[in-house]
Amino acid sequence: MNNNFSTLPEAGQSCPMVSFVNLISGKWAIPILYRLMVIDAPVRFSDLQRAVHPITQKELTRQLRQFESRKLLTRQVFAEVPPRVEYQITELGKSLRPTLDSLAHWMRENGGELEGEKPLPTRFAAKSVRAR
C-alpha cells in the first residue's frame, strides 16, 4: 500500500486531517461548497437554498456564515429593496475541488462495499441554478 501521508504532527500540534474534517463538517457543508464550485458565479441565497433542498434557511445561513468567516466564499449585499445578497466561491474555496472530487470518486468506486450504502451515480446530478 502506498502511503502518501505527510509526517504525523508532534504531540500537542493539531492534526491537519482533524482540521479538514472540522472545516467541512456538517451534513450540508460539502453539498453547499460543491454547488458553489459548479456554479462558479454569484448566486442568490434563495437559488442556493433551492439547489441544496431540503436544507433549512437557518442551517444554510449558519453554514454560509461559517464559510465566509473561513474565506471560502464571499458575500455581497446590495442596497436594494428588497435586499439582495449574493454568494460566490473564492479561489481558496475552489482549491478544495480536487479533494472533494477525489472523495466523490472514492464513494463511486467503494460506496457499494459500505454496509447500508447504495452506489452513487457516476455523474454528479446537479440541479439547475440560475447565476445572476
Side-chain angles (χ1 to χ4, degrees), residues 14-79:
S14 63
C15 174
M17 293 305 287
V18 171
S19 299
F20 177 75
V21 169
N22 287 336
L23 177 69
I24 61 162
S25 65
K27 176 180 179 179
W28 298 103
I30 292 175
I32 293 166
L33 282 174
Y34 205 78
R35 186 71 58 201
L36 288 166
M37 288 174 197
V38 169
I39 296 168
D40 196 18
V43 62
R44 293 182 76 165
F45 182 92
S46 58
D47 293 332
L48 189 56
Q49 186 176 15
R50 278 191 295 275
V52 290
H53 179 77
I55 191 169
T56 63
Q57 181 177 341
K58 180 180 176 180
E59 180 60 23
L60 181 57
T61 300
R62 187 190 69 76
Q63 200 72 68
L64 290 171
R65 284 182 182 155
Q66 186 177 56
F67 292 150
E68 183 184 13
S69 72
R70 293 175 175 169
K71 301 188 180 0
L72 297 176
L73 61 82
T74 58
R75 176 180 183 262
Q76 185 174 8
V77 180
F78 296 88

Short mmCIF file of all heavy atoms in Angstrom, two decimals, residues 14-79:
data_model
loop_
_atom_site.label_atom_id
_atom_site.label_comp_id
_atom_site.label_asym_id
_atom_site.label_seq_id
_atom_site.Cartn_x
_atom_site.Cartn_y
_atom_site.Cartn_z
N SER A 14 -1.89 20.42 16.21
CA SER A 14 -3.16 19.98 15.64
C SER A 14 -2.92 19.11 14.41
O SER A 14 -1.96 19.31 13.67
CB SER A 14 -4.03 21.18 15.28
OG SER A 14 -3.41 21.95 14.29
N CYS A 15 -3.78 18.15 14.22
CA CYS A 15 -3.69 17.24 13.09
C CYS A 15 -4.38 17.88 11.89
O CYS A 15 -5.53 18.32 12.00
CB CYS A 15 -4.37 15.91 13.44
SG CYS A 15 -4.48 14.77 12.05
N PRO A 16 -3.73 17.93 10.72
CA PRO A 16 -4.37 18.54 9.56
C PRO A 16 -5.65 17.83 9.13
O PRO A 16 -6.57 18.46 8.61
CB PRO A 16 -3.30 18.48 8.46
CG PRO A 16 -2.18 17.69 8.98
CD PRO A 16 -2.38 17.48 10.44
N MET A 17 -5.74 16.53 9.35
CA MET A 17 -6.96 15.80 8.98
C MET A 17 -8.13 16.20 9.88
O MET A 17 -9.25 16.35 9.41
CB MET A 17 -6.73 14.29 9.03
CG MET A 17 -5.77 13.79 7.98
SD MET A 17 -6.25 14.27 6.31
CE MET A 17 -7.62 13.19 6.04
N VAL A 18 -7.87 16.39 11.15
CA VAL A 18 -8.93 16.83 12.07
C VAL A 18 -9.37 18.24 11.68
O VAL A 18 -10.56 18.53 11.64
CB VAL A 18 -8.45 16.77 13.54
CG1 VAL A 18 -9.45 17.44 14.47
CG2 VAL A 18 -8.19 15.33 13.96
N SER A 19 -8.41 19.09 11.34
CA SER A 19 -8.75 20.45 10.92
C SER A 19 -9.59 20.44 9.65
O SER A 19 -10.54 21.20 9.50
CB SER A 19 -7.48 21.27 10.68
OG SER A 19 -6.73 21.37 11.86
N PHE A 20 -9.25 19.55 8.70
CA PHE A 20 -10.02 19.45 7.46
C PHE A 20 -11.44 18.98 7.73
O PHE A 20 -12.40 19.55 7.21
CB PHE A 20 -9.32 18.51 6.47
CG PHE A 20 -10.11 18.32 5.20
CD1 PHE A 20 -10.16 19.31 4.24
CD2 PHE A 20 -10.82 17.14 4.98
CE1 PHE A 20 -10.90 19.15 3.08
CE2 PHE A 20 -11.57 16.97 3.82
CZ PHE A 20 -11.59 17.98 2.87
N VAL A 21 -11.58 17.96 8.56
CA VAL A 21 -12.91 17.45 8.88
C VAL A 21 -13.73 18.54 9.58
O VAL A 21 -14.91 18.70 9.29
CB VAL A 21 -12.82 16.16 9.74
CG1 VAL A 21 -14.18 15.78 10.30
CG2 VAL A 21 -12.25 15.03 8.90
N ASN A 22 -13.10 19.32 10.45
CA ASN A 22 -13.82 20.42 11.10
C ASN A 22 -14.24 21.48 10.09
O ASN A 22 -15.29 22.08 10.22
CB ASN A 22 -12.96 21.05 12.19
CG ASN A 22 -12.83 20.17 13.41
OD1 ASN A 22 -13.69 19.32 13.67
ND2 ASN A 22 -11.76 20.34 14.15
N LEU A 23 -13.43 21.69 9.06
CA LEU A 23 -13.73 22.67 8.02
C LEU A 23 -14.97 22.29 7.24
O LEU A 23 -15.81 23.13 6.93
CB LEU A 23 -12.54 22.80 7.07
CG LEU A 23 -12.71 23.73 5.88
CD1 LEU A 23 -12.77 25.18 6.35
CD2 LEU A 23 -11.58 23.53 4.89
N ILE A 24 -15.11 21.02 6.92
CA ILE A 24 -16.23 20.57 6.08
C ILE A 24 -17.24 19.76 6.87
O ILE A 24 -18.03 19.02 6.28
CB ILE A 24 -15.73 19.77 4.86
CG1 ILE A 24 -14.98 18.53 5.30
CG2 ILE A 24 -14.91 20.63 3.94
CD1 ILE A 24 -14.83 17.49 4.22
N SER A 25 -17.25 19.92 8.18
CA SER A 25 -18.19 19.14 8.98
C SER A 25 -19.60 19.67 8.79
O SER A 25 -19.81 20.83 8.45
CB SER A 25 -17.80 19.18 10.46
OG SER A 25 -17.90 20.49 10.95
N GLY A 26 -20.52 18.82 9.02
CA GLY A 26 -21.93 19.19 8.87
C GLY A 26 -22.52 18.51 7.65
O GLY A 26 -21.86 18.33 6.64
N LYS A 27 -23.76 18.14 7.79
CA LYS A 27 -24.47 17.41 6.74
C LYS A 27 -24.48 18.16 5.41
O LYS A 27 -24.42 17.55 4.35
CB LYS A 27 -25.90 17.16 7.22
CG LYS A 27 -26.80 16.49 6.22
CD LYS A 27 -28.19 16.30 6.80
CE LYS A 27 -29.12 15.65 5.80
NZ LYS A 27 -30.45 15.44 6.37
N TRP A 28 -24.54 19.49 5.45
CA TRP A 28 -24.75 20.27 4.25
C TRP A 28 -23.48 20.95 3.73
O TRP A 28 -23.51 21.58 2.67
CB TRP A 28 -25.82 21.32 4.50
CG TRP A 28 -27.12 20.69 4.83
CD1 TRP A 28 -27.69 20.58 6.06
CD2 TRP A 28 -28.01 20.05 3.91
NE1 TRP A 28 -28.88 19.92 5.97
CE2 TRP A 28 -29.10 19.59 4.66
CE3 TRP A 28 -27.99 19.83 2.54
CZ2 TRP A 28 -30.17 18.91 4.08
CZ3 TRP A 28 -29.06 19.17 1.96
CH2 TRP A 28 -30.12 18.71 2.72
N ALA A 29 -22.37 20.86 4.45
CA ALA A 29 -21.17 21.60 4.07
C ALA A 29 -20.68 21.25 2.66
O ALA A 29 -20.48 22.14 1.83
CB ALA A 29 -20.05 21.34 5.09
N ILE A 30 -20.49 19.99 2.38
CA ILE A 30 -19.97 19.60 1.07
C ILE A 30 -20.97 19.89 -0.05
O ILE A 30 -20.57 20.46 -1.07
CB ILE A 30 -19.51 18.13 1.08
CG1 ILE A 30 -18.26 18.00 1.98
CG2 ILE A 30 -19.20 17.64 -0.33
CD1 ILE A 30 -17.77 16.59 2.18
N PRO A 31 -22.26 19.57 0.10
CA PRO A 31 -23.19 19.94 -0.98
C PRO A 31 -23.21 21.45 -1.28
O PRO A 31 -23.28 21.85 -2.43
CB PRO A 31 -24.55 19.45 -0.47
CG PRO A 31 -24.22 18.36 0.47
CD PRO A 31 -22.92 18.75 1.12
N ILE A 32 -23.12 22.28 -0.25
CA ILE A 32 -23.13 23.73 -0.46
C ILE A 32 -21.86 24.15 -1.20
O ILE A 32 -21.91 24.86 -2.21
CB ILE A 32 -23.25 24.49 0.87
CG1 ILE A 32 -24.61 24.25 1.50
CG2 ILE A 32 -23.00 25.99 0.68
CD1 ILE A 32 -24.70 24.69 2.96
N LEU A 33 -20.71 23.73 -0.69
CA LEU A 33 -19.45 24.10 -1.33
C LEU A 33 -19.39 23.61 -2.77
O LEU A 33 -18.99 24.34 -3.68
CB LEU A 33 -18.27 23.53 -0.54
CG LEU A 33 -17.88 24.26 0.73
CD1 LEU A 33 -16.79 23.50 1.47
CD2 LEU A 33 -17.42 25.67 0.42
N TYR A 34 -19.78 22.37 -2.97
CA TYR A 34 -19.69 21.80 -4.31
C TYR A 34 -20.63 22.52 -5.27
O TYR A 34 -20.27 22.80 -6.42
CB TYR A 34 -19.97 20.30 -4.28
CG TYR A 34 -19.32 19.58 -5.43
CD1 TYR A 34 -17.95 19.30 -5.39
CD2 TYR A 34 -20.03 19.21 -6.56
CE1 TYR A 34 -17.33 18.66 -6.44
CE2 TYR A 34 -19.41 18.57 -7.62
CZ TYR A 34 -18.06 18.30 -7.55
OH TYR A 34 -17.45 17.68 -8.60
N ARG A 35 -21.81 22.88 -4.80
CA ARG A 35 -22.76 23.61 -5.65
C ARG A 35 -22.17 24.96 -6.04
O ARG A 35 -22.24 25.37 -7.20
CB ARG A 35 -24.08 23.80 -4.90
CG ARG A 35 -25.15 24.40 -5.72
CD ARG A 35 -25.69 23.48 -6.76
NE ARG A 35 -26.19 22.29 -6.10
CZ ARG A 35 -26.38 21.12 -6.70
NH1 ARG A 35 -26.13 21.00 -7.97
NH2 ARG A 35 -26.80 20.08 -6.05
N LEU A 36 -21.56 25.66 -5.09
CA LEU A 36 -20.93 26.95 -5.39
C LEU A 36 -19.77 26.79 -6.38
O LEU A 36 -19.56 27.64 -7.24
CB LEU A 36 -20.46 27.63 -4.11
CG LEU A 36 -21.57 28.19 -3.22
CD1 LEU A 36 -21.03 28.54 -1.84
CD2 LEU A 36 -22.22 29.40 -3.87
N MET A 37 -19.04 25.68 -6.27
CA MET A 37 -17.94 25.42 -7.22
C MET A 37 -18.47 25.17 -8.62
O MET A 37 -17.91 25.66 -9.60
CB MET A 37 -17.13 24.20 -6.76
CG MET A 37 -16.29 24.44 -5.56
SD MET A 37 -15.53 22.88 -5.04
CE MET A 37 -15.05 23.32 -3.39
N VAL A 38 -19.54 24.39 -8.72
CA VAL A 38 -20.11 24.06 -10.02
C VAL A 38 -20.70 25.32 -10.67
O VAL A 38 -20.50 25.56 -11.87
CB VAL A 38 -21.20 22.97 -9.87
CG1 VAL A 38 -22.00 22.80 -11.15
CG2 VAL A 38 -20.56 21.64 -9.48
N ILE A 39 -21.38 26.15 -9.90
CA ILE A 39 -21.98 27.37 -10.43
C ILE A 39 -20.89 28.36 -10.83
O ILE A 39 -20.94 28.95 -11.90
CB ILE A 39 -22.94 28.00 -9.39
CG1 ILE A 39 -24.11 27.06 -9.13
CG2 ILE A 39 -23.42 29.36 -9.88
CD1 ILE A 39 -24.94 27.46 -7.92
N ASP A 40 -19.90 28.53 -9.98
CA ASP A 40 -18.75 29.42 -10.21
C ASP A 40 -19.18 30.81 -10.69
O ASP A 40 -18.60 31.37 -11.62
CB ASP A 40 -17.76 28.78 -11.19
CG ASP A 40 -16.40 29.49 -11.14
OD1 ASP A 40 -16.15 30.19 -10.15
OD2 ASP A 40 -15.63 29.35 -12.11
N ALA A 41 -20.21 31.34 -10.08
CA ALA A 41 -20.72 32.68 -10.36
C ALA A 41 -21.51 33.12 -9.14
O ALA A 41 -21.88 32.29 -8.31
CB ALA A 41 -21.62 32.65 -11.60
N PRO A 42 -21.77 34.42 -9.00
CA PRO A 42 -22.58 34.86 -7.86
C PRO A 42 -23.95 34.19 -7.89
O PRO A 42 -24.56 34.04 -8.95
CB PRO A 42 -22.71 36.37 -8.09
CG PRO A 42 -21.56 36.74 -8.94
CD PRO A 42 -21.31 35.54 -9.82
N VAL A 43 -24.42 33.78 -6.72
CA VAL A 43 -25.72 33.11 -6.63
C VAL A 43 -26.47 33.66 -5.42
O VAL A 43 -25.88 33.90 -4.37
CB VAL A 43 -25.57 31.57 -6.56
CG1 VAL A 43 -24.80 31.14 -5.34
CG2 VAL A 43 -26.90 30.87 -6.62
N ARG A 44 -27.76 33.89 -5.61
CA ARG A 44 -28.59 34.42 -4.54
C ARG A 44 -28.91 33.32 -3.53
O ARG A 44 -28.94 32.13 -3.85
CB ARG A 44 -29.87 35.00 -5.11
CG ARG A 44 -29.58 36.24 -5.96
CD ARG A 44 -30.82 36.84 -6.48
NE ARG A 44 -31.49 37.59 -5.41
CZ ARG A 44 -32.45 38.46 -5.62
NH1 ARG A 44 -32.89 38.68 -6.84
NH2 ARG A 44 -33.02 39.09 -4.61
N PHE A 45 -29.18 33.75 -2.31
CA PHE A 45 -29.47 32.83 -1.21
C PHE A 45 -30.61 31.89 -1.58
O PHE A 45 -30.50 30.67 -1.40
CB PHE A 45 -29.83 33.63 0.05
CG PHE A 45 -30.10 32.78 1.24
CD1 PHE A 45 -29.09 32.44 2.12
CD2 PHE A 45 -31.38 32.30 1.51
CE1 PHE A 45 -29.33 31.65 3.23
CE2 PHE A 45 -31.64 31.50 2.61
CZ PHE A 45 -30.61 31.18 3.47
N SER A 46 -31.71 32.42 -2.09
CA SER A 46 -32.87 31.58 -2.38
C SER A 46 -32.57 30.55 -3.47
O SER A 46 -33.05 29.41 -3.40
CB SER A 46 -34.07 32.44 -2.80
OG SER A 46 -33.74 33.23 -3.93
N ASP A 47 -31.77 30.92 -4.46
CA ASP A 47 -31.39 29.97 -5.51
C ASP A 47 -30.51 28.86 -4.94
O ASP A 47 -30.66 27.69 -5.29
CB ASP A 47 -30.67 30.67 -6.66
CG ASP A 47 -31.59 31.61 -7.43
OD1 ASP A 47 -32.81 31.35 -7.45
OD2 ASP A 47 -31.08 32.58 -8.01
N LEU A 48 -29.61 29.24 -4.05
CA LEU A 48 -28.74 28.25 -3.42
C LEU A 48 -29.55 27.32 -2.52
O LEU A 48 -29.33 26.11 -2.52
CB LEU A 48 -27.64 28.96 -2.62
CG LEU A 48 -26.52 28.11 -2.07
CD1 LEU A 48 -25.82 27.32 -3.17
CD2 LEU A 48 -25.52 28.97 -1.33
N GLN A 49 -30.51 27.87 -1.81
CA GLN A 49 -31.35 27.04 -0.94
C GLN A 49 -32.14 26.02 -1.77
O GLN A 49 -32.26 24.86 -1.38
CB GLN A 49 -32.30 27.91 -0.11
CG GLN A 49 -33.08 27.09 0.91
CD GLN A 49 -33.94 27.96 1.82
OE1 GLN A 49 -34.19 29.13 1.53
NE2 GLN A 49 -34.39 27.38 2.92
N ARG A 50 -32.67 26.44 -2.91
CA ARG A 50 -33.38 25.50 -3.78
C ARG A 50 -32.43 24.44 -4.33
O ARG A 50 -32.81 23.28 -4.48
CB ARG A 50 -34.05 26.25 -4.95
CG ARG A 50 -35.38 26.86 -4.59
CD ARG A 50 -36.12 27.35 -5.82
NE ARG A 50 -35.45 28.45 -6.50
CZ ARG A 50 -35.57 29.73 -6.17
NH1 ARG A 50 -36.34 30.07 -5.17
NH2 ARG A 50 -34.93 30.66 -6.84
N ALA A 51 -31.20 24.81 -4.61
CA ALA A 51 -30.24 23.88 -5.19
C ALA A 51 -29.82 22.79 -4.22
O ALA A 51 -29.47 21.68 -4.64
CB ALA A 51 -29.00 24.62 -5.69
N VAL A 52 -29.83 23.08 -2.92
CA VAL A 52 -29.43 22.08 -1.93
C VAL A 52 -30.62 21.65 -1.07
O VAL A 52 -30.46 21.26 0.08
CB VAL A 52 -28.25 22.56 -1.05
CG1 VAL A 52 -26.98 22.63 -1.85
CG2 VAL A 52 -28.53 23.87 -0.37
N HIS A 53 -31.79 21.71 -1.64
CA HIS A 53 -33.03 21.28 -0.99
C HIS A 53 -32.86 19.89 -0.39
O HIS A 53 -32.23 19.06 -1.01
CB HIS A 53 -34.17 21.28 -2.04
CG HIS A 53 -35.47 20.85 -1.49
ND1 HIS A 53 -36.25 21.68 -0.71
CD2 HIS A 53 -36.14 19.68 -1.58
CE1 HIS A 53 -37.33 21.03 -0.36
NE2 HIS A 53 -37.30 19.82 -0.87
N PRO A 54 -33.32 19.61 0.79
CA PRO A 54 -34.26 20.31 1.66
C PRO A 54 -33.61 21.04 2.83
O PRO A 54 -34.15 21.02 3.93
CB PRO A 54 -35.15 19.17 2.14
CG PRO A 54 -34.20 18.03 2.31
CD PRO A 54 -33.20 18.21 1.18
N ILE A 55 -32.49 21.70 2.64
CA ILE A 55 -31.83 22.43 3.73
C ILE A 55 -32.74 23.55 4.24
O ILE A 55 -33.47 24.16 3.46
CB ILE A 55 -30.47 23.00 3.26
CG1 ILE A 55 -29.67 23.52 4.46
CG2 ILE A 55 -30.66 24.06 2.20
CD1 ILE A 55 -28.23 23.86 4.14
N THR A 56 -32.68 23.79 5.55
CA THR A 56 -33.49 24.86 6.12
C THR A 56 -32.76 26.20 5.95
O THR A 56 -31.54 26.24 5.79
CB THR A 56 -33.74 24.64 7.63
OG1 THR A 56 -32.48 24.67 8.31
CG2 THR A 56 -34.44 23.31 7.88
N GLN A 57 -33.52 27.28 6.02
CA GLN A 57 -32.94 28.61 5.91
C GLN A 57 -31.92 28.84 7.02
O GLN A 57 -30.84 29.39 6.78
CB GLN A 57 -34.06 29.65 5.96
CG GLN A 57 -33.56 31.07 5.83
CD GLN A 57 -34.71 32.08 5.81
OE1 GLN A 57 -35.85 31.73 5.55
NE2 GLN A 57 -34.40 33.32 6.07
N LYS A 58 -32.27 28.42 8.22
CA LYS A 58 -31.38 28.59 9.38
C LYS A 58 -30.05 27.86 9.18
O LYS A 58 -28.98 28.41 9.44
CB LYS A 58 -32.09 28.08 10.65
CG LYS A 58 -31.28 28.20 11.90
CD LYS A 58 -32.07 27.68 13.10
CE LYS A 58 -31.24 27.71 14.36
NZ LYS A 58 -31.99 27.21 15.52
N GLU A 59 -30.11 26.63 8.72
CA GLU A 59 -28.89 25.84 8.53
C GLU A 59 -28.04 26.40 7.40
O GLU A 59 -26.82 26.46 7.50
CB GLU A 59 -29.24 24.37 8.27
CG GLU A 59 -28.03 23.49 8.07
CD GLU A 59 -27.09 23.45 9.27
OE1 GLU A 59 -27.51 23.73 10.40
OE2 GLU A 59 -25.90 23.12 9.06
N LEU A 60 -28.67 26.81 6.30
CA LEU A 60 -27.92 27.39 5.19
C LEU A 60 -27.23 28.68 5.63
O LEU A 60 -26.05 28.90 5.32
CB LEU A 60 -28.83 27.64 3.98
CG LEU A 60 -28.15 28.23 2.74
CD1 LEU A 60 -27.01 27.35 2.25
CD2 LEU A 60 -29.18 28.44 1.63
N THR A 61 -27.95 29.52 6.36
CA THR A 61 -27.36 30.77 6.88
C THR A 61 -26.17 30.48 7.76
O THR A 61 -25.11 31.10 7.63
CB THR A 61 -28.42 31.57 7.65
OG1 THR A 61 -29.49 31.89 6.77
CG2 THR A 61 -27.84 32.84 8.24
N ARG A 62 -26.31 29.52 8.67
CA ARG A 62 -25.22 29.16 9.58
C ARG A 62 -23.99 28.69 8.81
O ARG A 62 -22.87 29.11 9.06
CB ARG A 62 -25.69 28.07 10.56
CG ARG A 62 -24.67 27.75 11.66
CD ARG A 62 -25.08 26.51 12.44
NE ARG A 62 -24.98 25.30 11.67
CZ ARG A 62 -23.83 24.69 11.37
NH1 ARG A 62 -22.69 25.19 11.74
NH2 ARG A 62 -23.84 23.56 10.67
N GLN A 63 -24.21 27.82 7.83
CA GLN A 63 -23.11 27.25 7.08
C GLN A 63 -22.43 28.32 6.21
O GLN A 63 -21.20 28.37 6.14
CB GLN A 63 -23.63 26.11 6.20
CG GLN A 63 -22.56 25.15 5.74
CD GLN A 63 -22.05 24.26 6.84
OE1 GLN A 63 -22.75 23.42 7.35
NE2 GLN A 63 -20.81 24.46 7.22
N LEU A 64 -23.22 29.18 5.58
CA LEU A 64 -22.64 30.24 4.75
C LEU A 64 -21.82 31.22 5.59
O LEU A 64 -20.74 31.64 5.16
CB LEU A 64 -23.75 30.98 3.99
CG LEU A 64 -24.43 30.18 2.88
CD1 LEU A 64 -25.65 30.94 2.35
CD2 LEU A 64 -23.47 29.84 1.76
N ARG A 65 -22.29 31.55 6.77
CA ARG A 65 -21.52 32.44 7.66
C ARG A 65 -20.19 31.81 8.05
O ARG A 65 -19.16 32.47 8.10
CB ARG A 65 -22.33 32.77 8.91
CG ARG A 65 -23.42 33.77 8.66
CD ARG A 65 -24.16 34.11 9.93
NE ARG A 65 -25.24 35.04 9.64
CZ ARG A 65 -26.33 35.17 10.37
NH1 ARG A 65 -26.49 34.43 11.46
NH2 ARG A 65 -27.26 36.04 10.03
N GLN A 66 -20.24 30.51 8.33
CA GLN A 66 -19.02 29.79 8.68
C GLN A 66 -18.02 29.80 7.51
O GLN A 66 -16.85 30.07 7.70
CB GLN A 66 -19.37 28.37 9.09
CG GLN A 66 -18.22 27.58 9.62
CD GLN A 66 -18.69 26.20 10.07
OE1 GLN A 66 -19.27 25.46 9.29
NE2 GLN A 66 -18.44 25.87 11.32
N PHE A 67 -18.51 29.53 6.30
CA PHE A 67 -17.63 29.54 5.13
C PHE A 67 -17.09 30.93 4.85
O PHE A 67 -15.94 31.08 4.46
CB PHE A 67 -18.36 29.00 3.90
CG PHE A 67 -18.69 27.54 3.97
CD1 PHE A 67 -19.80 27.05 3.31
CD2 PHE A 67 -17.89 26.65 4.67
CE1 PHE A 67 -20.11 25.70 3.35
CE2 PHE A 67 -18.19 25.30 4.73
CZ PHE A 67 -19.30 24.82 4.06
N GLU A 68 -17.92 31.94 5.06
CA GLU A 68 -17.46 33.32 4.84
C GLU A 68 -16.36 33.67 5.84
O GLU A 68 -15.34 34.26 5.46
CB GLU A 68 -18.62 34.29 4.97
CG GLU A 68 -18.22 35.73 4.69
CD GLU A 68 -19.35 36.72 4.90
OE1 GLU A 68 -20.39 36.36 5.49
OE2 GLU A 68 -19.18 37.87 4.45
N SER A 69 -16.52 33.28 7.09
CA SER A 69 -15.51 33.59 8.11
C SER A 69 -14.19 32.86 7.83
O SER A 69 -13.13 33.32 8.21
CB SER A 69 -16.02 33.25 9.51
OG SER A 69 -16.07 31.85 9.70
N ARG A 70 -14.27 31.75 7.11
CA ARG A 70 -13.07 30.98 6.76
C ARG A 70 -12.54 31.34 5.37
O ARG A 70 -11.64 30.69 4.87
CB ARG A 70 -13.38 29.49 6.85
CG ARG A 70 -13.65 29.07 8.27
CD ARG A 70 -14.08 27.65 8.39
NE ARG A 70 -14.20 27.27 9.79
CZ ARG A 70 -14.75 26.17 10.20
NH1 ARG A 70 -15.25 25.31 9.34
NH2 ARG A 70 -14.81 25.90 11.49
N LYS A 71 -13.16 32.34 4.76
CA LYS A 71 -12.74 32.87 3.46
C LYS A 71 -12.89 31.88 2.31
O LYS A 71 -12.17 31.93 1.32
CB LYS A 71 -11.32 33.43 3.53
CG LYS A 71 -11.19 34.55 4.56
CD LYS A 71 -9.87 35.21 4.49
CE LYS A 71 -9.67 36.34 5.48
NZ LYS A 71 -10.64 36.73 6.39
N LEU A 72 -13.87 30.96 2.44
CA LEU A 72 -14.15 30.01 1.37
C LEU A 72 -15.16 30.57 0.38
O LEU A 72 -15.28 30.08 -0.74
CB LEU A 72 -14.66 28.69 1.94
CG LEU A 72 -13.67 27.94 2.84
CD1 LEU A 72 -14.32 26.69 3.42
CD2 LEU A 72 -12.41 27.59 2.09
N LEU A 73 -15.89 31.61 0.81
CA LEU A 73 -16.82 32.27 -0.09
C LEU A 73 -16.91 33.74 0.28
O LEU A 73 -16.50 34.14 1.36
CB LEU A 73 -18.21 31.60 -0.07
CG LEU A 73 -19.00 31.56 1.23
CD1 LEU A 73 -19.75 32.87 1.50
CD2 LEU A 73 -19.99 30.43 1.17
N THR A 74 -17.44 34.51 -0.66
CA THR A 74 -17.68 35.93 -0.39
C THR A 74 -19.18 36.17 -0.38
O THR A 74 -19.94 35.45 -1.03
CB THR A 74 -17.04 36.84 -1.46
OG1 THR A 74 -17.56 36.49 -2.74
CG2 THR A 74 -15.53 36.72 -1.44
N ARG A 75 -19.56 37.18 0.37
CA ARG A 75 -20.96 37.57 0.50
C ARG A 75 -21.05 39.03 0.11
O ARG A 75 -20.34 39.86 0.67
CB ARG A 75 -21.41 37.36 1.94
CG ARG A 75 -22.81 37.80 2.25
CD ARG A 75 -23.09 37.52 3.74
NE ARG A 75 -24.42 37.86 4.09
CZ ARG A 75 -24.78 39.00 4.68
NH1 ARG A 75 -23.88 39.91 4.97
NH2 ARG A 75 -26.04 39.23 4.97
N GLN A 76 -21.91 39.33 -0.84
CA GLN A 76 -22.10 40.72 -1.26
C GLN A 76 -23.55 41.11 -1.04
O GLN A 76 -24.46 40.44 -1.53
CB GLN A 76 -21.71 40.90 -2.73
CG GLN A 76 -21.78 42.33 -3.17
CD GLN A 76 -21.26 42.55 -4.58
OE1 GLN A 76 -20.96 41.60 -5.30
NE2 GLN A 76 -21.14 43.79 -4.96
N VAL A 77 -23.74 42.21 -0.31
CA VAL A 77 -25.07 42.72 -0.02
C VAL A 77 -25.29 43.95 -0.89
O VAL A 77 -24.46 44.85 -0.94
CB VAL A 77 -25.22 43.10 1.47
CG1 VAL A 77 -26.60 43.63 1.76
CG2 VAL A 77 -24.89 41.91 2.36
N PHE A 78 -26.42 43.97 -1.59
CA PHE A 78 -26.78 45.09 -2.45
C PHE A 78 -27.82 45.94 -1.73
O PHE A 78 -28.78 45.41 -1.17
CB PHE A 78 -27.34 44.59 -3.78
CG PHE A 78 -26.33 43.84 -4.59
CD1 PHE A 78 -26.16 42.46 -4.41
CD2 PHE A 78 -25.54 44.49 -5.52
CE1 PHE A 78 -25.23 41.76 -5.15
CE2 PHE A 78 -24.60 43.80 -6.26
CZ PHE A 78 -24.44 42.43 -6.08
N ALA A 79 -27.63 47.25 -1.76
CA ALA A 79 -28.55 48.18 -1.11
C ALA A 79 -29.77 48.37 -2.00
O ALA A 79 -29.90 49.35 -2.73
CB ALA A 79 -27.86 49.51 -0.85
#
